[in-house]
Amino acid sequence: MKRTMRCTALALAAILATGSAIPALALDLTKKRQNLPDLVLGNEEGNDFVVENREIELESGKAYRLRIVAKGRQEYKFYATEFFRNIWFNQIVIQHLEIHGSGPPDHLEFDDPGEIAIEFVAIKPGEYPWSARGLEAKGMTGKFIVK
């Protein structure tokens, strides 16, 4: 079964890399997306450095929607560089406005409380760290685990 998942993920990655059949394949996968638990930074009780759902597990070849929610009053610069490079983005949604593009963002930044939703397909298995840049020593770190 693991070999089949790896083959599926590799085939998907090859198709995505060539740019062929992306719209048809992506539309089919994103219709079946799974909503992940929110990754929450800070809380409304004044603890700006608490993290809810620090580790998130995914399966390669599956579509997901993840809401990253800032509840604290810090400026959160959310970096997940390797993770962003190893997923296929369908869209980034901010206040019901959609961002579509052909490449990953460098990072997501929250100047105020709010949320950013990303819709994507997990491609490459691995463990991918994320952090709120500059706040790592305060515990603002975690990881995405793609199996």
Side-chain angles (χ1 to χ4, degrees):
M1 182 158 179
K2 284 188 176 185
R3 183 181 174 124
T4 303
M5 288 189 328
R6 282 191 187 125
C7 290
T8 302
L10 290 174
L12 179 61
I15 290 169
L16 294 175
T18 64
S20 63
I22 289 176
L25 182 61
L27 289 175
D28 185 47
L29 284 172
T30 57
K31 285 181 184 176
K32 300 175 185 173
R33 76 171 181 261
Q34 175 184 343
N35 288 324
L36 294 167
D38 294 349
L39 194 162
V40 183
L41 309 172
N43 66 26
E44 294 162 339
E45 288 79 41
N47 186 342
D48 291 345
F49 308 110
V50 68
V51 177
E52 192 175 309
N53 296 315
R54 186 178 304 276
E55 291 186 6
I56 296 177
E57 290 192 19
L58 313 125
E59 279 187 56
S60 64
K62 291 193 175 183
Y64 295 97
R65 179 175 186 261
L66 171 66
R67 290 178 351 127
I68 303 166
V69 181
K71 289 188 176 181
R73 296 286 175 186
Q74 296 292 312
E75 177 181 69
Y76 299 109
K77 294 180 181 180
F78 185 86
Y79 280 83
T81 307
E82 289 303 310
F83 179 69
F84 290 164
R85 288 182 184 155
N86 288 290
I87 62 175
W88 174 81
F89 275 93
N90 179 40
Q91 64 185 3
I92 299 171
V93 182
I94 304 168
Q95 294 182 352
H96 305 287
L97 303 172
E98 300 173 4
I99 301 167
H100 298 268
S102 61
D106 180 60
H107 67 282
L108 306 174
E109 186 170 330
F110 298 86
D111 292 330
D112 292 307
E115 76 176 58
I116 298 174
I118 60 173
E119 294 181 12
F120 61 93
V121 176
I123 302 296
K124 186 177 177 187
E127 291 191 10
Y128 303 101
W130 67 261
S131 67
R133 183 77 44 95
L135 302 174
E136 296 92 344
K138 304 247 185 213
M140 303 296 295
T141 63
K143 64 183 167 180
F144 296 102
I145 303 164
V146 181
K147 296 181 177 189

